[in-house]
Amino acid sequence: MWKKWFIAALFLILFLELCARGQAASQAPSAHLYGSAGPCQVQTHEDEWFDQKRSRLVPVKIYRPADAPGPWPVIIFSHGLGGSRAGYEYLGRHWASHGFVSVHLQHQGSDIDVWRNDSSPVKALRQAALNPEAIVNPPLDLSFALDQLERLAREDSLFQDRLDLDRIGAAGHSFGAYTALTVAGQVMIGPAGSEYSWSDPRIKAFIAMSAPVPQRQEQWPRAYSRIKIPSPHLTGDEDDLPIGDSPAAERRVPYDHITGPDQYLIIFRGGDHLLFAGLEQRAEKDAVFKKLIQMSSTAFWRTYLNGDVQAGNWLAPGGFQAVLGAVGTFEHK
C-alpha cells in the first residue's frame, strides 16, 4: 500500500512542478509582450486644430498603427507643465505599435512657450500654474480633441472606420495627470465651496503619472468622489513636485481617495518627477523605469480598452508585481 501512496505523491510533486514551470513561462512571455514594441508599424501626423468656440489653437501629434486595419482604441495624452506635443514619444510610439491611436495634445498657456524665451523660466512656470485659464483649458482641449476625432472618423480617409470611439482612454504626466483626472471626474472646489467639473463620459479609463493634488487636504475625499473608472497611478518615492510645495508622499492621494473599481498604485524606488518624461537622465536606472511604464500601461490599456482578460490577470497582483520586484511597490484595490 505504501508504494501506491509513494507513487501517487511522486506524481503529485511532478504535476505541481510542471504547473509552476508553466506559470513562470506564462509570465515571461507576457512581460516581453507588453514591454517590447508591438507588431504594428507606426506613422505620425502633426496638425493644429482650431476651436472656434474658444478661439483657441490646439496643436496635436498623432501616433497611429500604419499597417493594421482597425478600428483602433484611442488614447489622449496631456503633457506636463512646460511641455509640448513632441514629448513622451516613448509612450505614443509604443502604444501605437500595440494597436492604439495615441493623440498627444499641446495645451497653450501651460506649454513650452510659457518658458522657452523667458529669462526666468521657473518663475514663468509658477505663474502659468496659477493662471485660471491654464487650469480650465486643458480638460476642454481634451474634450475638443475628441470632437475632432469624431470628425476625422467621418471625413478623413486615414481614419474612417479605423477609430473605435467607444474605447477611449486619457493619460497625462504631472499637470497632464491633472487633466486626465479632471476628465475622468475629479472636481475643482472653489473658495466658497462651489464645485467645477469638466468630466467627459467618453473616457473609459485613464492613467495618472505624478498627479498634483488640491492644496487643502479636507477637499481630497470630495474632489475624487466622482471618479468611477479604472486607473493606474504611477509615481516615485522621490517624486516631489518641482513647482509648489507638494512632497512625493502626496502623489498617492488620488489612489487613496478614489472609491471606483480597479485602481492601481505603482511607486518606483528612487523615481523622481522627471522619470515619466522618458528623458533617461540617469541612463541605466531611468531606462528600467521607462520599460516598466511601457509594460504596465500597455497591459492596462489592453485590459480596460480591449477587454483582454489575460492582460488583466497578468497586471493584477502576480505577473507585473513579480517583474517589478524590488524596483518598486505595487498596490491594487
Side-chain angles (χ1 to χ4, degrees):
M1 180 64 70
W2 68 269
K3 290 182 179 180
K4 292 182 179 180
W5 282 108
F6 176 77
I7 294 173
L10 181 61
F11 272 110
L12 178 60
I13 292 171
L14 290 172
F15 175 75
L16 292 175
E17 175 66 19
L18 289 172
C19 286
R21 290 181 181 179
Q23 183 178 13
S26 67
Q27 286 183 358
S30 295
H32 178 74
L33 171 65
Y34 307 131
S36 300
C40 302
Q41 297 295 316
V42 178
Q43 288 187 346
T44 62
H45 309 268
E46 291 190 359
D47 205 344
E48 293 184 341
W49 296 337
F50 186 73
D51 184 354
Q52 293 183 346
K53 292 181 180 179
R54 295 180 294 151
S55 297
R56 179 174 171 84
L57 197 67
V58 181
V60 299
K61 184 173 183 178
I62 301 175
Y63 300 83
R64 72 173 184 89
D67 53 353
W72 309 304
V74 174
I75 302 162
I76 310 290
F77 188 90
S78 291
H79 59 74
L81 185 65
S84 76
R85 62 182 171 179
Y88 308 91
E89 182 175 358
Y90 80 101
L91 288 174
R93 190 168 293 278
H94 187 80
W95 293 339
S97 77
H98 282 269
F100 300 91
V101 172
S102 189
V103 182
H104 292 219
L105 308 182
Q106 184 162 329
H107 303 289
Q108 294 190 334
S110 58
D111 63 352
I112 191 172
D113 291 334
V114 167
W115 63 268
R116 181 161 43 188
N117 297 317
D118 198 293
S119 59
S120 301
V122 174
K123 181 180 178 180
L125 288 170
R126 285 177 177 161
Q127 290 176 339
L130 297 174
N131 184 348
E133 291 188 2
I135 295 172
V136 172
N137 275 317
L140 296 180
D141 289 344
L142 192 147
S143 291
F144 167 70
L146 294 183
D147 296 339
Q148 289 297 103
L149 291 172
E150 291 176 354
R151 179 185 62 80
L152 291 179
R154 294 190 307 267
E155 302 173 2
D156 192 308
S157 59
L158 285 177
F159 296 99
Q160 280 180 339
D161 301 320
R162 295 182 179 179
L163 299 179
D164 190 338
L165 297 178
D166 290 324
R167 295 186 289 161
I168 300 174
H173 171 226
S174 192
F175 210 69
Y178 150 77
T179 303
L181 280 156
T182 301
V183 296
Q186 179 181 341
V187 297
M188 300 296 292
I189 303 171
S194 54
E195 293 184 356
Y196 302 90
S197 173
W198 299 283
S199 65
D200 195 313
R202 291 174 289 186
I203 302 300
K204 301 301 189 295
F206 72 100
I207 296 177
M209 308 175 193
S210 299
V213 300
Q215 290 183 342
R216 295 169 58 183
Q217 295 186 16
E218 67 272 16
Q219 293 181 349
W220 290 349
R222 185 177 165 195
Y224 301 108
S225 62
R226 298 185 189 178
I227 298 177
K228 303 298 181 184
I229 58 177
S231 172
H233 305 263
L234 283 68
T235 182
D237 58 9
E238 299 177 9
D239 191 2
D240 302 306
L241 289 189
I243 302 295
D245 183 18
S246 183
E250 290 187 350
R251 305 286 78 75
R252 66 171 294 140
V253 166
Y255 171 83
D256 288 334
H257 287 86
I258 293 174
T259 58
D262 289 340
Q263 302 297 307
Y264 303 81
L265 177 65
I266 301 169
I267 303 176
F268 295 109
R269 290 192 173 96
D272 62 14
H273 192 67
L274 291 179
L275 79 91
F276 298 101
L279 301 177
E280 295 190 17
Q281 295 175 310
R282 303 164 299 179
E284 184 175 350
K285 190 174 187 179
D286 285 354
V288 172
F289 290 147
K290 185 169 77 170
K291 183 61 63 178
L292 290 166
I293 295 165
Q294 290 173 321
M295 188 185 302
S296 57
S297 61
T298 301
F300 175 79
W301 295 132
R302 289 180 61 140
T303 301
Y304 294 100
L305 296 185
N306 290 1
D308 186 334
V309 175
Q310 181 181 3
N313 290 338
W314 180 83
L315 180 63
F320 175 71
Q321 191 170 13
V323 175
L324 181 65
V327 176
T329 60
F330 181 93
E331 298 177 41
H332 174 225
K333 65 178 183 179

